[in-house]
Structure formats: C-alpha cells, structure tokens
Amino acid sequence: MTTDQDRKRPGRPPGTSDTRDRILVAARDLFARNGFDNTSIRAIGAAADVDPALVHHYFGTKTQLFADAIHIPIDPMTVIGPLREVPVDQIGHVLPSLLLPIWDSELGKGFIATMRSMLAGSDVSMVRSFLQDVITAEVGARVDDPPGSGPVRVQFVASQLVGIVMARYILELEPFKSLPVDQIVETIAPNLQRYLTGDLPGLV
Amino acid sequence: MTTDQDRKRPGRPPGTSDTRDRILVAARDLFARNGFDNTSIRAIGAAADVDPALVHHYFGTKTQLFADAIHIPIDPMTVIGPLREVPVDQIGHVLPSLLLPIWDSELGKGFIATMRSMLAGSDVSMVRSFLQDVITAEVGARVDDPPGSGPVRVQFVASQLVGIVMARYILELEPFKSLPVDQIVETIAPNLQRYLTGDLPGLV
C-alpha cells in the first residue's frame, strides 16, 4: 500500500504528483464509462498522456489502480487471492470471514464512506463494474449457474453482502452493528453457500 | 391514499396547504430526532401548532404519516397487515412476495429514490427507525431471538432485503435486475426463513 509520505517525498522531481492525479482522473473516467474489464492500463495511460509503464509504476496492477481510483484502501487481491485457494463449498464461509474484518477496520471506513457517496451520486457504475467484472469473474466462474442465466448465484451473494454493509455500517442497526464478526459470519455463511452451490429451484 | 387532487380541491379554505406542509415538516423533524416509537401524533401536532385531530384528518394513522414524511407512496400497513395473518414459518416467503411487486412498481420508484437520497445524507435515522421500530415490532416480536440478544433475527432479514433493493434497483446488476419477481422470491425465501426460525448456532 502506498502512503501519502511515499507519494510526496521531498526527493521526487516536481510534476509527479500532477502525473499521478492525471492518471487517477483518467482511470476513474474510463472505469466509470467502460467498466473494469473493458478498461486497459494502456488506455488509461493514453488518456492521461503518460506511458503505460508509468501507470504500473505508480499504481501496480489494474485491480490496485481500480482500488485507488474508488478509494478502497487495500488491494482487492488481498481477498481474491486467498479465495482462489479455497474449495468452492467453503467460499460461503471464507468470503465473509475475509471481508468483515476489513470492513470493521479503520481502513474499511474509507471504503464505506466512498460506497455511500457513490450510491448518492450517479457513480454507482464503478461499484457495479467491480461487482460484475471482478467478483463475478473470480467467484462466479467457479459455480454452476443455470444455463443461459448469467452469474446469478454470485449476485445473490453480493446482495446479501451489500445488505450487511448497509445494516452494519450505514443504517447502523442495533444490535446488528455491535455483533461480533464471528456471529455474523456463522449466521450468513450457510445462506451464502446455498446461493453458491445449493439447490435453487426458483432459478431452474 | 390521498392524491394531490384531494388535497388541493378548490373548496378548501386557504391556508390548509400550509398547515399540511407544517405538519409534514414537524413530523420529519421529530421522527428523525426521536424515532418512530417515541414520536406521537400529539407531539407532531404540538410542534406544528395544530390540533392532533387535524394531523389524523390530513394523514390518517401514524404509519401513514410516517410513509408520507419519507415519501413512501403507500401505507406500510399494506404489507404489515397481511403479514399479521401469516404463520411465522411462512413469513420468509410471504414478506418478499409482498415487497418485490411494490418495489418493482411505479410507486416503488419514489421509495427507491428516497432511500438513496437518505443514504447519501445524514438522514439514515428515518430508515433505521422504521426498520427498528415498525418492522422489528411487527415481525421481530413473533420470532424467538437468543436471550438478551435483541431483535437480531429480523435484522438479518432486513440485511438481505436491503441488499436486494441495492442489487436490483440501485446497483442494477444484470441479470439480477431483470430476474422475474418469482425467481428472486423463491431463491431468497428459504434464507429469510432460516434467519427467522432456523437454527443459528453463531447466535447462541
């Protein structure tokens, strides 16, 4: 993770902070307009009038740049990486075990604030794109959706997880807001797992 | 339901539209500050400097006034009333069957827009109050929560339902947004029912 100190250390040549900002502006614009999948580091570099290598230099991977662009203070791969190693019949449990401690942490506050402001504005396209392109590609590809239905299983999972964010951090329902992470994880895990791998007669 | 025509018919004495607005402003203020339960029609009348009978005359019951205050275009009793007749082991199915057609309708659009603007501002207190005081009182009272835990079961239900609103109407995930109501109801009903009456080891 890059901190403000790293970014503005005195030894850097003048103008780099401008460059960095220009890349971020270009990235936000392209992610919002074209989605995560259809936006390349090359296109962002072109829009910001810098070499693609410089985009990588400042921001790392595309998911890291995306996270920075929407003010998620951690790399989504922190969650996605471990999930790749998890058998599909345990994702319902592991996914909230990874997410809730992050959301509960200081880092998570920025994410919640950003999500809230996006929901307010017309900026939902980035949240949508992230859910559709990143989460669907990573988790949705590993479950069996009904033929021709699209990634519905993982979208039901997303609906429950977004609802947890709303109830715990935005609506701050009590006692929900104060429940230990473990209790929430244990309570929702079987439901998430059912969405992922259970029998869903309504969808056949 | 009262329409604009009813409210502003020519025969009415001047000043009534002012009175009505004053009541709404007072109601919003008190509901937001003190919650639904702790706000009486009498207190709203006092704050608006009108007789409580006039509040009833313009708006009907307290839930109807609350719905008007937060721009819900239907009386919440449309949902709550039928639920009272439903055996508790069917609420997981009946609740979304009642809610989704409303949310999908033209009337629902105003509700979604209001929810969104509340989430953006600092106005979540009204949504929270409604979920905590009305839904918890109506449905939460009928399920067995773990001793001393508060109304957690119904709050897990709320988290899933709020998540459906987010995924379908605000994030507009595809194909989730386009799924027939029945498919969503059948898919989430067993999960909602588990939250209400199932074995939840995480919460014991």
Side-chain angles (χ1 to χ4, degrees):
Chain A
M1 213 176 57
T2 323
T3 66
D4 277 358
Q5 280 71 36
D6 293 332
R7 287 168 188 162
K8 292 178 183 167
R9 61 171 185 265
R12 261 199 204 164
T16 48
S17 151
D18 264 11
T19 307
R20 206 181 166 281
D21 287 348
R22 223 164 57 229
I23 295 170
L24 271 182
V25 168
R28 279 192 202 108
D29 179 48
L30 289 173
F31 283 138
R33 270 197 288 142
N34 305 326
F36 181 84
D37 270 358
N38 297 320
T39 301
S40 64
I41 291 283
R42 177 176 300 273
I44 292 167
D49 200 19
V50 301
D51 193 275
L54 207 58
V55 179
H56 284 299
H57 169 75
Y58 278 120
F59 295 97
T61 66
K62 190 167 83 165
T63 56
Q64 285 170 325
L65 170 56
F66 185 88
D68 258 339
I70 69 171
H71 308 289
I72 296 182
I74 57 156
D75 181 354
M77 285 310 292
T78 316
V79 172
I80 292 168
L83 273 188
R84 287 185 181 158
E85 312 298 317
V86 171
V88 74
D89 63 357
Q90 291 168 30
I91 293 179
H93 191 273
V94 174
L95 183 57
S97 321
L98 291 167
L99 289 173
L100 271 151
I102 295 173
W103 293 339
D104 269 12
S105 71
E106 273 305 308
L107 291 178
K109 284 188 187 157
F111 163 70
I112 307 290
T114 303
M115 177 159 161
R116 206 164 149 168
S117 76
M118 282 185 187
L119 297 176
S122 49
D123 233 8
V124 294
S125 55
M126 292 224 251
V127 181
R128 184 195 305 134
S129 162
F130 183 70
L131 287 172
Q132 286 190 329
D133 298 341
V134 181
I135 305 295
T136 300
E138 288 292 334
V139 182
R142 297 177 57 197
V143 300
D144 289 324
D145 281 298
S149 76
V152 285
R153 286 183 180 273
V154 77
Q155 292 187 351
F156 276 99
V157 170
S159 80
Q160 175 61 88
L161 291 172
V162 169
I164 297 289
V165 171
M166 299 298 299
R168 188 170 173 92
Y169 308 102
I170 296 182
L171 297 174
E172 299 184 314
L173 301 183
E174 285 292 1
F176 200 86
K177 178 190 174 187
S178 308
L179 287 182
V181 164
D182 281 0
Q183 288 193 7
I184 298 204
V185 170
E186 297 303 324
T187 303
I188 68 174
N191 283 13
L192 298 182
Q193 195 60 51
R194 178 175 165 271
Y195 287 150
L196 287 171
T197 53
D199 195 26
L200 301 179
L203 289 179
V204 176
Chain B
M1 216 174 57
T2 323
T3 65
D4 276 358
Q5 280 69 36
D6 293 333
R7 286 168 189 164
K8 291 178 183 168
R9 60 171 186 266
R12 262 199 202 166
T16 48
S17 151
D18 264 11
T19 307
R20 206 181 166 281
D21 288 348
R22 225 163 56 229
I23 295 170
L24 271 183
V25 169
R28 278 191 204 111
D29 180 48
L30 289 173
F31 282 138
R33 269 197 290 143
N34 306 326
F36 181 84
D37 270 359
N38 297 319
T39 300
S40 64
I41 291 283
R42 177 175 298 274
I44 291 167
D49 200 19
V50 302
D51 193 277
L54 207 59
V55 179
H56 283 299
H57 170 75
Y58 279 119
F59 294 97
T61 66
K62 190 167 82 166
T63 56
Q64 284 170 325
L65 170 55
F66 185 87
D68 259 340
I70 68 173
H71 309 288
I72 296 181
I74 57 154
D75 181 354
M77 286 310 293
T78 314
V79 173
I80 292 169
L83 273 188
R84 285 184 182 158
E85 313 296 318
V86 171
V88 74
D89 63 357
Q90 291 168 30
I91 293 180
H93 191 274
V94 174
L95 184 57
S97 321
L98 290 166
L99 289 173
L100 272 151
I102 295 174
W103 293 340
D104 268 11
S105 71
E106 274 302 310
L107 291 177
K109 284 187 188 157
F111 164 70
I112 307 289
T114 303
M115 178 158 161
R116 206 163 150 170
S117 75
M118 281 186 189
L119 296 176
S122 49
D123 234 9
V124 293
S125 56
M126 292 221 254
V127 180
R128 184 196 303 134
S129 163
F130 183 70
L131 287 172
Q132 287 191 328
D133 298 341
V134 181
I135 305 294
T136 300
E138 288 292 333
V139 182
R142 295 177 59 198
V143 299
D144 289 324
D145 280 299
S149 76
V152 285
R153 284 184 181 274
V154 75
Q155 292 186 352
F156 276 99
V157 171
S159 79
Q160 175 61 87
L161 291 172
V162 168
I164 297 288
V165 170
M166 299 298 301
R168 188 169 173 93
Y169 308 102
I170 296 182
L171 296 174
E172 299 184 316
L173 301 183
E174 284 293 0
F176 201 86
K177 179 191 174 185
S178 308
L179 288 181
V181 165
D182 282 359
Q183 288 193 8
I184 297 204
V185 170
E186 297 303 324
T187 303
I188 68 174
N191 283 12
L192 297 182
Q193 194 62 48
R194 177 174 166 271
Y195 287 150
L196 288 171
T197 53
D199 196 27
L200 301 179
L203 290 179
V204 176

